[in-house]
Amino acid sequence: MASHFSKSAKVPKNCVFLINTDNVYSGCNVKRPGCLWYILDRDYEVAIKERSPNCLHVLALDDNGKQLIEVKNLYELSMKKALCLQAVPVLEMRVQLLKEGLLEEALMIEVDDAIEVETDRGWFPAIVKYIGSLGEDELGGTFFGVELQGDGLGQGRCNGTFGNKSYFKCKEKCGLFVPVSKIKRLSPKDVMQKKVSPSLHKKSREFPVQKGENVHFYNENNDLKSGLVLGVKEERDGRVFCTIATDGDDNFELPLEAIVTNALLSPGTEVDNKMDWQNSTAPHEAQLKEQSTEKQIEMFDSKIKTLESDLDVGHMVHIPAYHPKATGVIRWIGMLPERNVISAGIELDEDIGISDGKLMNKKYFNCPPTRGIFVNLSSCLPDSRFKMHAEELEETDGVKVKLIGRVAPLMNTEAVKILNGKMKGIQGHRNSCYMDCALFSLFSCSSVLDSMLFHPTDQTDQDIQFTLREEIVNPLRKHGYVDAKSIMKLRKQLTSRGHSLSYTTDEKDPEEFLNLIMHYILGIEPLLKLQLAAQKVQESYCYQIFMDKEEDLIVPTVQQLLEHSFVTGKLKLVEVPSCFIIQMPRFGKKYKMFGKIVPSLELDITDLLCDSPRECLICGDVATQECEACFKDRKTFSISGLKQYCEICCNRVHSHHNRQDHVPQKLQLPKEFHCRYSEKKPMVPKEKLELFAVLCIETSHYVSFVKYGPEKEHWMFFDSMADRHGDEDGYNVPTVILCPEVAQYLDCSVEELASQRPRDMEGVAKRLFCDAYMYMYQSTKMALYK
């Protein structure tokens, strides 16, 4: 577990981390795939400014040795990924984790998450208690400290201690420290099935009620009383209790959600300071009486008639009286016991609240702990970031946020009419561009993944599906616009499920978001089924192209890149996917392997299918042999298309002395197809997918192109943060524009595109050809069945 550095070696700062995906030769020495390297930011920036750097001088992460490596053999990593892989001792496993997307999935794991961990005796359920380095050697890598659960109890090696240092506490032989290759995340369903206990270990936090503060609370008769806070403590189950001194002889211990601070009191509220609870029990031990429902409704109706505020449930508000930075969403409006003004339950954007939506043992709404507060509705101000455009939208279109049912995707002139213009598409806010563009691309003009919106899911996740369908997809298709608050609501829901605490603030990758919502939330079947050589079938939702940089591929098409990646990885598709999401080869987000990539409007996957009939390259008959060596022979064959032959043509092609060392592989054919000697020559069916969207990235900002019609000119460009109204307190202006100029470049030859300077390309075409990150293809035929 230690590196070759000193025991206190630190992770180098201001650098780019890399991994080699092929052998690296240095004299007689060979560095196998999976070694980790780094290069200083300043050296990296200088290198990539060259037109096409072939090699980079890099340093080994484990021993600081210097090495010159070809760029085509390197893949950029974040520091987090690099340190996770550093802890994996087997180099081949590092590459496997990266290529199969398992590393991305594992990086979503956080402290207190339920996982499965591999031990000498198999896989067992566990709870993550610690993530980080062991000892003072940061370069040893990132390890996961876990507490075994269920059948794994007693199968560990420690009690949370490593090297005389305690990282967490658990029973003896119930703790383990393992690398990322030994763990896998559990879905909510798996947690229930494997009976994984919720984590009891919580990080200490500051509380909104402090020792010595005067507070108020309701007694069992619904009388508002006051007292002095003597102390605040957090129980093992996560609940927080306050010890309150009153004018009586006894002190009382009350749950935090039953406490009302001075800031939350209505102006003029009368408080009974005369305490006499000597013969009563504390509210958390006795059942508090609730006010009559009918009386509460009557009081609420009478007050709502005189209410001057336009605020309603779902509106985003600012509560400066509570905290200068307090912003959130109204989740509940009504009358609280013994308060003669209308109150609002707010779910805050940050952890500065005092409740989870519960007050006096009654649940009014749901939100994460320390995100909820109850205040006077009159104390809420419309959030200035969203107020203006929401009012304009209501006045011009009368748009409602929620649209129940199914709304068809937009196509042709209808798409132009509804989507084209400013304040169109999905409004961006707080690094949401990755999510905005992914959702716009998937749902604005395509129905291929509409099954996500109606797929039966767990009751606990139905609210996420409802938000996605009724508050995002349907308004987008019906009115051409989705407010940022709807996206923020989805991000908060993802956060509240414990998948990541940073979904409301940090930028993510589109594939991370799609994997989360498709697999862990909605539980739809994987979109892709891939077979590697003769190994078992692997399933995934997105496909990352890995390949060596080919000198002949100057301006490649998506078709060529996919074919090269499949041949290099010895992969085949088990079945035709209804949706094929393909990530382009990149050297991280800073450096692209290819300066330009040509979108293939149609993707022919006939030759990429496993056990599917294919056409002979020479005569057009049914192919029975495939030759990988011919595919790589650029001098004789074209750079596009796999090389497969019938028996006769295969013998002729390989009779040439330059190809006699080739070893063709026999193809498996369905019984329905036969060779040319049959009475009737069969027609080989073609399986093609059509391009419907492209996600692009430049300087960490995502935009998207969507094909809204059948013609080459039918493209629209979407940017969720194209413009901004106001400064810090303003809001982003999402924009959709038509970009027919794309068509002229699709008709260009490779030579013309290669000589085309990006800055001279018309309109936004440069973004599509130079910044492509993810292509989305669909099979309209298969979408009917999936």
Side-chain angles (χ1 to χ4, degrees):
M1 291 188 183
S3 69
H4 295 128
F5 282 121
S6 66
K7 291 184 178 181
S8 60
K10 300 296 182 183
V11 177
K13 305 298 182 183
N14 302 318
C15 62
V16 176
F17 294 90
L18 310 156
I19 185 172
N20 62 296
T21 56
D22 203 350
N23 287 331
V24 174
Y25 298 93
S26 177
C28 298
N29 298 322
V30 179
K31 292 286 188 179
R32 291 183 294 138
C35 295
L36 295 170
W37 314 84
Y38 71 94
I39 179 174
L40 296 179
D41 275 341
R42 61 176 182 271
D43 296 334
Y44 178 74
E45 294 295 340
V46 170
I48 65 173
K49 284 181 180 179
E50 300 178 16
R51 182 175 181 183
S52 180
N54 294 321
C55 298
L56 286 176
H57 284 283
V58 295
L59 300 171
L61 189 58
D62 57 355
D63 61 9
N64 227 21
K66 195 170 186 179
Q67 183 77 43
L68 183 66
I69 303 179
E70 290 185 272
V71 168
K72 68 179 183 179
N73 293 329
L74 291 172
Y75 187 81
E76 184 180 342
L77 303 169
S78 64
M79 179 187 292
K80 191 174 181 180
K81 289 181 180 179
L83 292 180
C84 276
L85 292 178
Q86 177 75 346
V88 179
V90 182
L91 298 182
E92 291 78 5
M93 179 60 71
R94 296 178 180 178
V95 179
Q96 182 179 346
L97 288 169
L98 187 65
K99 287 190 174 183
E100 295 180 4
L102 300 176
L103 182 61
E104 289 282 355
E105 185 175 317
L107 287 178
M108 297 168 63
I109 295 174
E110 298 180 342
V111 172
D112 294 334
D113 277 359
I115 64 166
E116 271 195 309
V117 61
E118 185 180 16
T119 71
D120 296 336
R121 298 187 179 183
W123 289 86
F124 295 105
I127 296 292
V128 178
K129 294 294 187 179
Y130 170 78
I131 302 176
S133 59
L134 298 179
E136 297 181 358
D137 182 11
E138 293 181 2
L139 286 176
T142 298
F143 288 86
F144 294 76
V146 303
E147 179 182 358
L148 293 164
Q149 303 278 306
D151 296 337
L153 294 174
Q155 303 295 328
R157 297 179 179 176
C158 67
N159 61 354
T161 300
F162 181 86
N164 296 323
K165 181 178 179 180
S166 179
Y167 292 89
F168 64 93
K169 293 182 179 180
C170 68
K171 293 181 180 179
E172 196 65 45
K173 292 189 177 181
C174 288
L176 277 176
F177 292 93
V178 294
V180 67
S181 57
K182 297 288 187 180
I183 63 173
K184 58 184 178 182
R185 194 178 184 191
L186 289 178
S187 67
K189 292 180 181 178
D190 295 332
V191 173
M192 298 300 295
Q193 292 173 356
K194 298 178 183 294
K195 299 179 181 180
V196 181
S197 303
S199 176
L200 299 179
H201 175 71
K202 301 290 182 183
K203 298 177 181 178
S204 61
R205 65 175 190 264
E206 295 183 0
F207 304 110
V209 177
Q210 303 297 325
K211 183 177 179 180
E213 184 177 352
N214 286 312
V215 296
H216 314 278
F217 54 92
Y218 290 88
N219 68 1
E220 60 182 0
N221 295 319
N222 277 333
D223 296 326
L224 188 60
K225 305 292 183 178
S226 66
L228 185 69
V229 178
L230 297 181
V232 183
K233 65 178 181 179
E234 183 177 16
E235 299 292 345
R236 284 182 59 82
D237 62 358
R239 298 190 68 194
V240 178
F241 290 90
C242 300
T243 303
I244 310 294
T246 67
D247 290 341
D249 294 332
D250 295 331
N251 297 330
F252 298 95
E253 195 172 76
L254 306 176
L256 181 61
E257 56 265 27
I259 304 298
V260 181
T261 62
N262 287 325
L264 301 183
L265 279 180
S266 307
T269 301
E270 294 184 1
V271 181
D272 184 359
N273 291 306
K274 187 176 181 180
M275 306 302 295
D276 185 13
W277 276 25
Q278 295 181 9
N279 298 317
S280 66
T281 55
H284 73 285
E285 297 176 319
Q287 181 69 34
L288 295 177
K289 296 180 180 179
E290 297 184 0
Q291 187 176 16
S292 165
T293 304
E294 294 182 1
K295 181 179 178 181
Q296 183 168 333
I297 294 175
E298 181 181 345
M299 292 174 63
F300 176 65
D301 288 341
S302 65
K303 291 293 181 181
I304 203 69
K305 293 177 182 178
T306 59
L307 182 64
E308 296 179 353
S309 172
D310 291 326
L311 295 175
D312 200 353
V313 173
H315 284 186
M316 302 193 76
V317 293
H318 180 209
I319 315 98
Y322 177 77
H323 190 283
K325 295 183 179 180
T327 58
V329 179
I330 298 177
R331 296 299 184 201
W332 174 86
I333 294 177
M335 301 296 295
L336 291 173
E338 297 300 321
R339 297 175 73 169
N340 60 355
V341 295
I342 296 176
S343 300
I346 312 294
E347 180 181 351
L348 297 171
D349 294 334
E350 300 179 11
D351 292 321
I352 55 176
I354 60 174
S355 169
D356 60 355
K358 184 165 61 175
L359 182 66
M360 294 175 56
N361 288 347
K362 180 177 178 180
K363 197 77 168 180
Y364 290 90
F365 62 94
N366 293 310
C367 73
T370 71
R371 285 287 180 95
I373 60 171
F374 292 88
V375 296
N376 299 341
L377 184 59
S378 59
S379 301
C380 300
L381 303 176
D383 194 332
S384 58
R385 294 169 297 174
F386 306 98
K387 179 182 177 183
M388 181 176 177
H389 92 257
E391 290 174 348
E392 291 172 351
L393 196 62
E394 186 65 30
E395 291 173 2
T396 56
D397 298 320
V399 176
K400 294 181 179 179
V401 175
K402 298 180 182 179
L403 290 169
I404 309 300
R406 185 182 187 277
V407 179
L410 300 165
M411 292 298 292
N412 301 314
T413 56
E414 191 70 11
V416 176
K417 176 182 176 182
I418 293 179
L419 288 173
N420 187 32
K422 286 193 173 184
M423 290 306 289
K424 292 292 185 178
I426 301 175
Q427 186 184 37
H429 177 55
R430 284 191 186 177
N431 298 316
S432 67
C433 60
Y434 71 96
M435 187 179 294
D436 307 330
C437 290
L439 293 174
F440 185 87
S441 299
L442 283 176
F443 295 111
S444 61
C445 299
S446 173
S447 61
V448 67
L449 287 183
D450 275 16
S451 58
M452 286 173 54
L453 309 176
F454 302 94
H455 181 78
T457 187
D458 287 347
Q459 188 172 359
T460 55
D461 292 324
Q462 286 179 356
D463 59 336
I464 293 181
Q465 187 181 51
F466 183 88
T467 300
L468 179 62
R469 181 180 66 243
E470 314 296 349
E471 300 187 34
I472 297 175
V473 176
N474 285 353
L476 176 64
R477 292 173 173 177
K478 184 69 175 178
H479 304 293
Y481 176 78
V482 178
D483 193 280
K485 64 185 179 184
S486 296
I487 296 296
M488 180 57 74
K489 179 178 179 180
L490 178 62
R491 296 167 75 184
K492 288 179 179 178
Q493 288 173 329
L494 296 176
T495 300
S496 68
R497 294 299 186 276
H499 296 291
S500 174
L501 297 179
S502 58
Y503 256 100
T504 58
T505 55
D506 294 356
E507 178 186 316
K508 306 287 184 182
D509 292 327
E511 64 271 20
E512 180 183 340
F513 163 63
L514 294 176
N515 183 69
L516 170 63
I517 201 161
M518 290 183 188
H519 178 49
Y520 290 105
I521 301 297
L522 302 180
I524 67 172
E525 290 186 9
L527 302 178
L528 299 176
K529 294 183 179 180
L530 301 169
Q531 188 163 38
L532 173 61
Q535 299 181 18
K536 66 178 183 179
V537 174
Q538 300 174 356
E539 298 179 332
S540 66
Y541 295 88
C542 304
Y543 178 71
Q544 169 70 65
I545 289 181
F546 285 96
M547 58 177 292
D548 297 333
K549 186 171 182 179
E550 301 286 348
E551 298 299 331
D552 298 319
L553 294 175
I554 301 172
V555 182
T557 65
V558 177
Q559 179 79 43
Q560 292 169 342
L561 294 177
L562 186 64
E563 289 173 349
H564 281 251
S565 181
F566 266 54
V567 170
T568 302
K570 302 186 184 301
L571 293 171
K572 291 292 182 184
L573 287 167
V574 176
E575 61 185 23
V576 178
S578 60
C579 183
F580 199 173
I581 301 176
I582 308 172
Q583 295 172 244
M584 292 297 99
R586 297 179 69 89
F587 186 54
K589 293 182 181 178
K590 298 179 180 178
Y591 176 77
K592 296 167 287 190
M593 184 173 286
F594 298 97
K596 298 185 186 76
I597 296 176
V598 181
S600 299
L601 298 184
E602 277 193 336
L603 196 65
D604 190 342
I605 61 170
T606 307
D607 298 342
L608 305 180
L609 288 167
C610 182
D611 300 339
S612 176
R614 292 152 66 175
E615 194 175 78
C616 175
L617 175 67
I618 307 298
C619 69
D621 198 358
V622 177
T624 58
Q625 303 280 341
E626 179 183 15
C627 184
E628 181 179 338
C630 285
F631 178 81
K632 297 179 179 179
D633 184 359
R634 303 286 185 268
K635 295 181 179 179
T636 307
F637 300 96
S638 67
I639 60 177
S640 297
L642 274 65
K643 307 303 179 275
Q644 62 255 340
Y645 316 94
C646 65
E647 292 291 343
I648 295 176
C649 294
C650 185
N651 292 332
R652 289 176 179 173
V653 168
H654 292 97
S655 63
H656 193 281
H657 64 89
N658 286 338
R659 294 184 289 277
Q660 289 181 355
D661 59 342
H662 291 189
V663 184
Q665 299 295 318
K666 190 172 183 62
L667 297 174
Q668 297 295 325
L669 295 176
K671 295 180 180 179
E672 293 80 7
F673 287 83
H674 308 280
C675 65
R676 74 160 63 238
Y677 301 109
S678 303
E679 295 181 2
K680 184 177 180 181
K681 182 177 177 180
M683 291 292 295
V684 176
K686 293 290 185 180
E687 295 290 350
K688 294 184 178 181
L689 308 179
E690 60 182 39
L691 178 65
F692 70 93
V694 183
L695 266 71
C696 303
I697 184 173
E698 184 181 38
T699 60
S700 298
H701 180 64
Y702 290 94
V703 296
S704 67
F705 289 82
V706 171
K707 202 164 189 304
Y708 65 88
E711 304 301 329
K712 286 186 177 181
E713 295 82 7
H714 289 173
W715 285 93
M716 55 177 54
F717 172 79
F718 165 64
D719 186 347
S720 65
M721 304 178 184
D723 199 358
R724 186 165 180 83
H725 185 280
D727 297 321
E728 184 177 349
D729 295 330
Y731 57 86
N732 291 311
V733 179
T735 302
V736 178
I737 61 173
L738 304 183
C739 45
E741 67 272 11
V742 167
Q744 65 176 296
Y745 298 103
L746 290 172
D747 292 332
C748 288
S749 65
V750 172
E751 292 75 14
E752 290 173 327
L753 276 176
S755 61
Q756 181 75 51
R757 291 188 299 181
R759 66 172 179 267
D760 294 335
M761 298 179 79
E762 290 186 23
V764 293
K766 175 258 180 187
R767 305 293 302 272
L768 178 61
F769 286 83
C770 301
D771 301 328
Y773 181 84
M774 177 182 285
Y775 283 83
M776 295 181 174
Y777 288 87
Q778 63 183 356
S779 168
T780 53
K781 177 178 66 175
M782 292 305 297
L784 297 174
Y785 305 99
K786 293 189 175 184

